[in-house]
Amino acid sequence: MAFPGGRRALAIVVTLVILMAGGVTWALWPSDPVVKGRDLVISVMDGPADDQRVDLDATFYPPASGGRAPAVLLAHGFGGSKQSMREEAGRLAQQGYAVLTWSARGFGRSTGQIALNSPDYEVKDVRRLVDWLAERPEVRLDAPGDPRVGIAGGSYGGAIALMSAAYDNRVDAIVPQITWYDLADALFPDASGKGPLNGVFKKMWAGIFFSSAAERLAPDGGAGAGGLAGLAGAVTGSGSTTGNATQGDTTQGTTGQGNAGQGSTAQGTSGQDSTAQSNTAQSNTAQSNTAQSPGATAPATPAAGPTASPGGDAAGGLDAGRTPGAEQVQCGRFMPQICEMYQKVAETGRATKEAVDLLRRSSPISVPGRIKVPTLLLQGQRDSLFPLSHADANARAIAATGAPVEVAWFNGGHDGGDGEADWLYDRTTGWFDHYLKGASAGGGDPAVFTVTRDGGRDPGTRRPVLLHATAGRYPGLSGAERTTVTLNGPQQPIANPAGGSPSSISAVPGLGGLLGGNGGGASLALDMPGQAAVFESAPLTKPAQVTGSPTVTIKVYGTGEATLFAKLYDVSGGSLPVLPSSLVSPLRVTASEAGTPVTVTLPAIDRRFDAGHRMRLVVSTTDLGYATPAAPAVYRVALESPTLELPVDAALRTPATGPAWWTWAMPLAAILVAAVLLLTGSVRRRGEAGDDPAADAESAGVPLVISGLGKRYRNGEKAVDGLSFRVEKGQVLGLLGPNGAGKTTTMRMLMGLIHPDEGEIRIFGTRVRPGAPVLSRLGSFVEGPGFLPHLSGRANLELYWQATGRPPQDAHMEEALEIAGLGAALERAVRTYSQGMRQRLAIAQAMLGLPDLLVLDEPTNGLDPPQIAEMRRVLKAYAERGRTVIVSSHLLAEVEQTCTHVVVMHRGRLVSAGPVGDLLGAAPAANGAGPRLEDVFLDLIGESR
């Protein structure tokens, strides 16, 4: 029985039914269960003698899967609270984890004072939290009192994960993010390797770090102070695990990151107040239940003003009628000894032994060999507070114990960047799934080292594309191997200005995040005239991918102690120099009249320096983010060695890019619709494509036969009408005609891009249709070149050939590149090419594989006269080897010199065809000279001369 309306109507009805069924299924599909957090207060006895009580404000999220599950402790960043971790906790609970978040002592609604993750205070607090988890019926136990537990956190929270693993062997796996190895080194770095006692005070970051603890003393909860907290504990990011803040701190947890801004409200994903100024401690708004369990009490309400306790002020904050005291204004919620230490070093700008000892006691450097659990270190490439060197030191220390360690450098950090929230969340949950749940690590080689790299921009959305290069081993900051670049420049005088002002600029804390910096080519770096010595390389002859810390040896002349800042720029021809990640290496050196040599370790980076770019070493006397001497002085700086050593890791491999998942993982309904449409048109296509191989045996050796070809526009007008001609081997055929003659339409049908309405095209005896294997014998360039602008010319050609699926050795790449004649420009990004360079690259692409039939549309467009003459020679030589060339061009004089045969079209019809010599011989001479092809052409199309 025939369906009324025919097959097309049947296809429409089937499509509608499928779409309706899909919509109903989507609406009725059960959603993930809502995970409700339960607020509680866990009392802890800490301090050196375990005699100081602190009440920790916490929230527990039971696993959505029910039963006993591994537990995860989520630690917030500096200035945050448990509210910062709410969304991450909910996601992990839905994935089958028991999750506990808490506000660290001195933060949020927890009592006590900030001790910077001291083993006597915060570390003991976490140990009590692990005890509490061991008593929960929802938590899986490895032994009585020993829960299966992991810890994740960023910045301040990342450090507590490391320190807790060192002091509590019940911790099974950790994922620290953007955190420190040596807090003394982070605040007093020294690129000469002499340690923090010789280091340069990182005054801006230190000021933010310590001032943010006073946020709750500011009017209205600290408008502006909360933003300081955000800078100290957050990284830039966006997405469901990220606080994309314009206000306050939404510090990262499992993968959470927050942009720092102003105000005290943590907007982020959770939309909660990170400073706990609200009157409730609800974790999930309108969904929290108060948990009453052993060791826990109901959530406390803030005390009316500071309440003294052995561990410091109980709740922090003030009531409306009180004024903060002098100690509170100076120290906020820090312990007095920490506040005193900061005030002393901030005044002098130098580290003391007491300060170094205090800071290191809260750092993994103080516990060598004691962190023995699987560790995933996630460190931001845009981070002047805790740069990549801290993750490197942690990785080496933990790996030395034999524990599994993986390192990832992502596009983010305290100075901004993309944040890669979803990717970091996936890496974190994958780590815990493997080491807490025992899940398989997945197929393929393990990615022990991962680096996020710039993949250009998505051609559809124009948004940055991030790629992840991976390697099976972590080489450290010295790289798997070293290469060198020679720097040039004379000895140069540099001045330290009186008062240290004006200052050069590298990174300004928080500015990258406020500007939405995504780690691209933008750089805010500025070097003040007279304060900087500059040494520069020659243009690079090939790209250099630097992964790690470059080193260089300089010599400093003068008297007294010099404070210097070294930085490595990427200098291109036209744009401003780029300081990778805005990072700088500070150092102190005692100058001498004979010159004091010093080897400088430059910041760890992962950057590709393109061919043609220069590397520029700048040594300056000031930097806005650091404390510098107030006394004026002049020094001289020279290169002790011209060699700049660069670390390289050739093992890092970036996966081939492809379309986003949604471009191929289409709904089932779309696939079924496509199948129906294919089936309804299959009969017609079989009729069109039906070939009798025996009937074409006589034309199997002929490159091109066009018979009765026709194509209509939508309005019915014929673009090509009854076109027929034949092209033999060894010919260079010129396809001529005025604009609108149908040349390009004919060439597009020849390449199988569009269907003819009538007639046929046969290449070597095989009828042309989309996907026909014989098209592999055709190379073409029609309607202008199309390349990926962010890739080099060579990479574009290699990518094109890979897309054909043919063996690399069949490409004859070097022959095609020789034809292109682009030289060193092949290694540059195509976006820097002129029109002529793009044209030559397109012709080389058409010649890849040395096709038997080459079709070129206006091949000399954009070429200068010498290049046109060279192209003429190339095409003639190509045809003389038994191949065939078809050229469409408006340069009739050039066609006359290049082509052996011509086909002239006008208004879609064939006007004339034959050898060039025959056409010219049949034309009368003009003015005593031989006829020109231009004259013959104009006569043929009926135009007056």
Side-chain angles (χ1 to χ4, degrees):
M1 181 180 71
F3 187 83
R7 290 177 176 171
R8 186 177 297 276
L10 175 60
I12 293 173
V13 170
V14 171
T15 301
L16 292 174
V17 170
I18 292 173
L19 291 176
M20 290 176 63
V24 171
T25 302
W26 180 270
L28 298 180
W29 194 267
S31 60
D32 291 333
V34 176
V35 177
K36 296 181 179 181
R38 287 175 264 176
D39 291 326
L40 49 108
V41 172
I42 301 176
S43 296
V44 176
M45 299 301 291
D46 63 16
D50 294 328
D51 58 353
Q52 301 178 18
R53 171 172 169 156
V54 171
D55 293 332
L56 300 179
D57 181 26
T59 300
F60 178 66
Y61 300 79
S65 57
R68 287 186 177 269
V72 174
L73 286 166
L74 288 185
H76 61 78
F78 199 87
S81 71
K82 69 174 188 179
Q83 305 291 1
S84 310
M85 316 309 301
R86 189 182 69 165
E87 185 141 344
E88 293 90 319
R91 292 181 68 182
L92 280 170
Q94 287 184 344
Q95 290 190 233
Y97 288 95
V99 184
L100 182 63
T101 66
W102 79 102
S103 298
R105 61 175 3 251
F107 293 101
R109 298 174 61 84
S110 293
T111 64
Q113 291 179 309
I114 301 168
L116 290 181
N117 291 334
S118 165
D120 289 331
Y121 295 98
E122 286 87 354
V123 174
K124 287 186 176 180
D125 296 346
V126 173
R127 186 176 185 88
R128 177 65 188 99
L129 297 179
V130 176
D131 291 341
W132 186 88
L133 287 171
E135 300 171 0
R136 296 299 307 177
E138 302 92 342
V139 176
R140 182 190 302 176
L141 299 180
D142 292 327
D146 182 4
R148 179 76 58 85
V149 62
I151 308 178
S155 193
Y156 193 67
I160 196 62
L162 288 160
M163 296 298 289
S164 297
Y167 283 93
D168 192 338
N169 60 13
R170 294 175 297 175
V171 176
D172 298 294
I174 56 174
V175 183
Q177 278 191 49
I178 60 166
T179 195
W180 67 81
Y181 172 71
D182 181 355
L183 192 52
D185 176 77
L187 298 181
F188 299 93
D190 178 58
S192 68
K194 295 181 180 179
L197 285 174
N198 191 63
V200 184
F201 183 44
K202 201 178 287 182
K203 66 177 184 181
M204 286 192 72
W205 268 123
I208 290 170
F209 197 69
F210 285 91
S211 299
S212 61
E215 61 184 284
R216 302 187 59 190
L217 305 178
D220 300 324
L228 295 179
L231 293 179
V235 313
T236 300
S238 59
S240 61
T241 58
T242 302
N244 198 8
T246 56
Q247 298 180 355
D249 169 71
T250 52
T251 51
Q252 69 179 30
T254 307
T255 60
Q257 300 117 30
N259 286 349
Q262 298 206 353
S264 62
T265 302
Q267 200 61 30
T269 52
S270 65
Q272 298 296 311
D273 179 7
S274 71
T275 59
Q277 292 294 326
S278 63
N279 291 325
T280 61
Q282 297 276 331
S283 171
N284 285 334
T285 304
Q287 293 184 2
S288 273
N289 299 326
T290 299
Q292 299 290 344
S293 61
T297 63
T301 57
T307 302
S309 73
D313 65 339
L318 298 166
D319 64 13
R322 295 194 56 179
T323 302
E327 182 176 319
Q328 289 177 302
V329 171
Q330 288 182 321
C331 300
R333 302 184 73 178
F334 274 109
M335 300 191 82
Q337 59 267 39
I338 295 176
C339 180
E340 180 183 355
M341 175 273 297
Y342 167 69
Q343 290 172 347
K344 184 173 182 179
V345 300
E347 181 180 0
T348 63
R350 298 296 297 257
T352 63
K353 184 179 185 304
E354 294 74 20
V356 171
D357 291 343
L358 187 151
L359 295 172
R360 283 185 164 173
R361 182 160 167 73
S362 297
S363 303
I365 192 175
S366 67
V367 287
R370 293 179 59 177
I371 304 176
K372 303 177 181 180
V373 299
T375 304
L376 172 61
L377 293 160
L378 305 173
Q379 203 78 357
Q381 298 184 53
R382 295 180 62 82
D383 201 321
S384 57
L385 178 56
F386 305 131
L388 298 173
S389 55
H390 285 263
D392 175 72
N394 276 319
R396 287 185 286 109
I398 299 171
T401 69
V405 178
E406 292 185 12
V407 179
W409 297 353
F410 68 94
N411 186 324
H414 286 85
D415 290 320
D418 180 271
E420 302 191 68
D422 290 335
W423 184 77
L424 295 183
Y425 179 84
D426 291 341
R427 287 298 305 268
T428 301
T429 53
W431 191 258
F432 285 152
D433 286 349
H434 181 55
Y435 287 104
L436 299 183
K437 291 183 177 180
S440 171
D445 296 330
V448 175
F449 183 35
T450 305
V451 178
T452 299
R453 289 177 173 171
D454 180 15
R457 290 188 177 271
D458 184 280
T461 65
R462 303 305 300 161
R463 293 180 60 83
V465 175
L466 299 178
L467 305 176
H468 296 105
T470 58
R473 61 179 295 270
Y474 175 62
L477 300 187
S478 59
E481 54 186 286
R482 308 282 282 188
T483 186
T484 60
V485 168
T486 300
L487 298 175
N488 301 292
Q491 182 184 122
Q492 301 165 51
I494 56 175
N496 181 67
S501 182
S503 295
S504 299
I505 299 173
S506 55
V508 179
L511 186 57
L514 292 173
L515 296 178
N518 285 326
S523 175
L524 300 174
L526 173 67
D527 297 307
M528 301 303 296
Q531 298 181 17
V534 178
F535 308 95
E536 197 166 280
S537 73
L540 300 178
T541 58
K542 60 182 180 179
Q545 182 73 53
V546 178
T547 304
S549 292
T551 57
V552 66
T553 302
I554 61 174
K555 183 174 281 190
V556 184
Y557 298 85
T559 58
E561 185 179 73
T563 299
L564 302 175
F565 303 89
K567 50 193 107 172
L568 183 64
Y569 286 91
D570 182 352
V571 183
S572 60
S575 58
L576 292 173
V578 174
L579 180 61
S581 300
S582 298
L583 297 177
V584 63
S585 288
L587 66 148
R588 294 187 195 272
V589 57
T590 301
S592 64
E593 291 299 335
T596 302
V598 56
T599 297
V600 181
T601 300
L602 293 164
I605 57 174
D606 179 77
R607 183 172 180 86
R608 175 188 169 93
F609 292 78
D610 288 329
H613 287 208
R614 299 172 185 264
M615 293 186 181
R616 177 183 296 170
L617 173 70
V618 173
V619 181
S620 65
T621 56
T622 60
D623 190 276
L624 184 63
Y626 293 81
T628 55
V634 176
Y635 308 98
R636 302 186 309 280
V637 177
L639 293 171
E640 167 73 1
S641 167
T643 300
L644 174 66
E645 293 195 7
L646 305 173
V648 176
D649 187 2
L652 278 169
R653 290 287 183 266
T654 303
T657 58
W661 66 268
W662 46 265
T663 63
W664 54 265
M666 304 303 293
L668 179 61
I671 297 175
L672 294 176
V673 170
V676 170
L677 294 176
L678 288 172
L679 289 173
T680 56
S682 61
V683 174
R684 181 176 63 86
R685 285 200 305 274
R686 281 196 297 268
E688 292 177 351
D691 293 324
D692 181 4
D696 300 311
E698 62 181 28
S699 62
V702 181
L704 178 65
V705 177
I706 294 179
S707 305
L709 194 66
K711 183 68 178 178
R712 295 179 182 272
Y713 295 123
R714 289 185 177 180
N715 61 7
E717 181 182 350
K718 282 196 171 185
V720 179
D721 185 8
L723 181 67
S724 299
F725 64 88
R726 179 185 180 111
V727 186
E728 301 290 347
K729 288 183 178 179
Q731 292 182 358
V732 180
L733 178 86
L735 185 59
L736 308 180
N739 289 335
K743 303 187 301 298
T744 300
T745 301
T746 300
M747 297 177 83
R748 294 182 69 192
M749 289 189 284
L750 170 60
M751 292 182 291
L753 299 178
I754 58 176
H755 286 285
D757 294 329
E758 54 193 45
E760 66 175 14
I761 301 174
R762 292 185 181 270
I763 295 178
F764 294 104
T766 301
R767 187 172 182 178
V768 172
R769 58 182 181 271
V774 74
L775 290 174
S776 65
R777 302 181 68 179
L778 179 145
S780 61
F781 161 44
V782 177
E783 294 186 325
F787 298 108
L788 295 175
H790 64 282
L791 295 182
S792 66
R794 181 185 297 274
N796 266 283
L797 295 184
E798 291 173 347
L799 186 63
Y800 169 80
W801 189 255
Q802 290 173 11
T804 67
R806 297 164 64 185
Q809 61 270 22
D810 292 350
H812 299 278
M813 182 72 68
E814 295 308 318
E815 296 178 52
L817 294 179
E818 182 179 356
I819 292 170
L822 291 172
L826 278 168
E827 309 303 334
R828 284 171 29 205
V830 170
R831 62 172 172 260
T832 66
Y833 282 18
S834 66
Q835 175 63 28
M837 294 169 71
R838 289 172 182 261
Q839 197 80 356
R840 287 151 61 193
L841 185 65
I843 293 169
Q845 178 175 287
M847 290 185 175
L848 286 179
L850 302 180
D852 295 312
L853 177 60
L854 185 63
V855 179
L856 304 176
D857 186 15
E858 298 290 353
T860 57
N861 185 30
L863 303 184
D864 55 30
Q867 292 168 345
I868 291 175
E870 176 63 18
M871 182 58 60
R872 183 192 312 142
R873 184 194 65 77
V874 167
L875 296 181
K876 286 182 175 180
Y878 195 83
E880 287 172 356
R881 298 174 185 173
R883 300 183 181 91
T884 304
V885 180
I886 298 176
V887 177
S888 172
S889 177
H890 287 96
L891 299 179
L892 299 182
E894 190 57 39
V895 170
E896 183 176 348
Q897 297 182 68
T898 304
C899 297
T900 61
H901 293 69
V902 293
V903 167
V904 182
M905 296 179 63
H906 187 46
R907 296 176 181 172
R909 292 178 175 273
L910 178 69
V911 175
S912 180
V916 174
D918 291 354
L919 261 68
L920 296 177
N927 299 324
R932 299 178 305 164
L933 182 60
E934 179 182 351
D935 301 325
V936 176
F937 173 75
L938 293 175
D939 284 339
L940 289 172
I941 65 174
E943 298 287 341
S944 59
R945 285 172 281 176

